[in-house]
Amino acid sequence: MSVGLDIEMDIVSDDQLSTLPPYELWNEPFDMPRRLFITPVFDSEGNELAPMEPYTMNINGTEVRKLASYAELNGTISIMRPAYRSPDGRYLIATIRDRTHNETCIVLDLKTRVRRKLSYGYCEINHWKADSYQAYMTFVAGPFTYRYLVDIQTFEHEPLTFLQAPAEREAGGDKFQGMVKLVFSPDGQQIVGLLTDQPVYVKGEDGTWGRDTEIKRTLWDDQLPGQEYSLKFTAPDYQAERGAFYHPSCYGDGALRVSVDGRHFTCAGKVFHTDAPSEPIMDSQGEWIIQNPYWAISDSGLLMRTLRYNEGGPFERIFYRYRAHEGNYLNRRYFLMRSSLFIPPNLRDNWESRDWSEYFPELPTDDDYHAAKVKLTSLGRL
């Protein structure tokens, strides 16, 4: 049996509507995982206190902090793209939309408050290295995809040429047309990618690029139009190995969503280990895993909780819905970034055994539930 509960978000205190939350320190310790959301803030009379800016909070809606200002970002974090924190919490990488709605990938150093532009277009983090200074990244600008190992401090970048099709590699350049749905093992030593059957962009005799509607993704050896398959790349040489490394349900248009700790991913309603992506281990409770199998975020933004075997009570699963406080100072148009989850460094040890149930409302016992059911039945409400 499942039950739904509400979580309130207190952005501004009731007695000081003119006071916004403090900034989050880049290395600030917290008791729970953090969620990022963006919102404008208004006072009780409808006056704007702050434009659309990013905030963070514990997964139970407490300890709200401001992460960055509009001026620092020179725009608003795109609600359509993920935002990422480095494992040590220092760096924020996000896709920013400016006043002209152009997208730019930026990195903000939350310690020095210095912003740097990485590229035009949008970006994604495929995998952070443990030192927080290097990340495997995908950049998309127009029809083209680029993949690099990026040094976040020096901005040196190395093309991931082993992910290029042989034909692309032989032609030179740094474009990647064939590989999608990359999943890294937690240690980064294994990468599994999926090839899809889609039109490619080719360079014409006049030197311009355009979509070729006749040629499908045949850049990889022996791939036929209409065929999808996966490749595995293993350190240190990352030679491509062809095989059925993804479960069949993960092919096609289904999205892969990697957990915040990098150990699992979800696809087509199933949970998989990132270092063994072909065999599902269970049905997923939510698309964005926080701690498997107990905590996750659904695509609709709900916080999903599966009770532990020793918790007892009439419910197996609870979903929490976030909502603004009853006051008028928080615009109802806040956006919970489903994929933008962060584990504070002080919580990383013993991550899989941590339990945050004490930070949520106490649940009814079996006796409470049955007593309430009897009362409602006697009142004719059941």
Side-chain angles (χ1 to χ4, degrees), residues 41-176:
V41 178
F42 297 86
D43 65 20
S44 58
E45 297 179 355
N47 301 309
E48 185 178 270
L49 300 178
M52 189 77 80
E53 294 176 326
Y55 297 83
T56 64
M57 64 180 177
N58 290 331
I59 57 172
N60 70 347
T62 61
E63 294 193 89
V64 173
R65 299 286 189 271
K66 187 172 182 176
L67 193 61
S69 69
Y70 184 97
E72 287 178 309
L73 297 172
N74 193 28
T76 300
I77 293 179
S78 173
I79 63 172
M80 303 303 295
R81 314 295 185 194
Y84 307 88
R85 294 278 294 276
S86 57
D88 63 0
R90 178 171 175 174
Y91 298 102
L92 171 70
I93 292 181
T95 299
I96 302 299
R97 294 177 69 91
D98 61 22
R99 289 183 176 87
T100 60
H101 302 291
N102 291 319
E103 289 186 327
T104 303
C105 177
I106 64 101
V107 56
L108 177 65
D109 188 330
L110 297 172
K111 181 179 180 180
T112 65
R113 314 306 299 188
V114 173
R115 171 195 182 275
R116 295 278 299 273
K117 181 177 73 175
L118 289 177
S119 72
Y120 292 108
Y122 71 87
C123 59
E124 296 178 353
I125 298 285
N126 302 116
H127 179 75
W128 278 103
K129 288 200 170 184
D131 61 10
S132 294
Y133 299 143
Q134 291 185 308
Y136 293 93
M137 298 187 64
T138 296
F139 299 89
V140 179
F144 301 119
T145 298
Y146 308 85
R147 292 195 169 95
Y148 300 99
L149 174 60
V150 179
D151 189 303
I152 303 302
Q153 291 187 316
T154 66
F155 297 96
E156 294 179 355
H157 53 282
E158 175 187 346
L160 303 181
T161 54
F162 61 86
L163 291 177
Q164 286 183 307
E168 290 177 311
R169 195 179 309 124
E170 291 170 6
D174 52 3
K175 295 179 177 63
F176 295 77

Side-chain angles (χ1 to χ4, degrees), residues 5-11 14 57-64 320-327 329-330 332 334 361:
L5 299 172
D6 284 340
I7 295 177
E8 291 191 349
M9 299 161 54
D10 286 329
I11 305 297
D14 289 323
M57 64 180 177
N58 290 331
I59 57 172
N60 70 347
T62 61
E63 294 193 89
V64 173
Y320 299 96
R321 180 183 62 186
Y322 295 89
R323 65 185 179 90
H325 189 273
E326 292 298 335
Y329 47 78
L330 177 60
R332 299 295 170 151
Y334 65 87

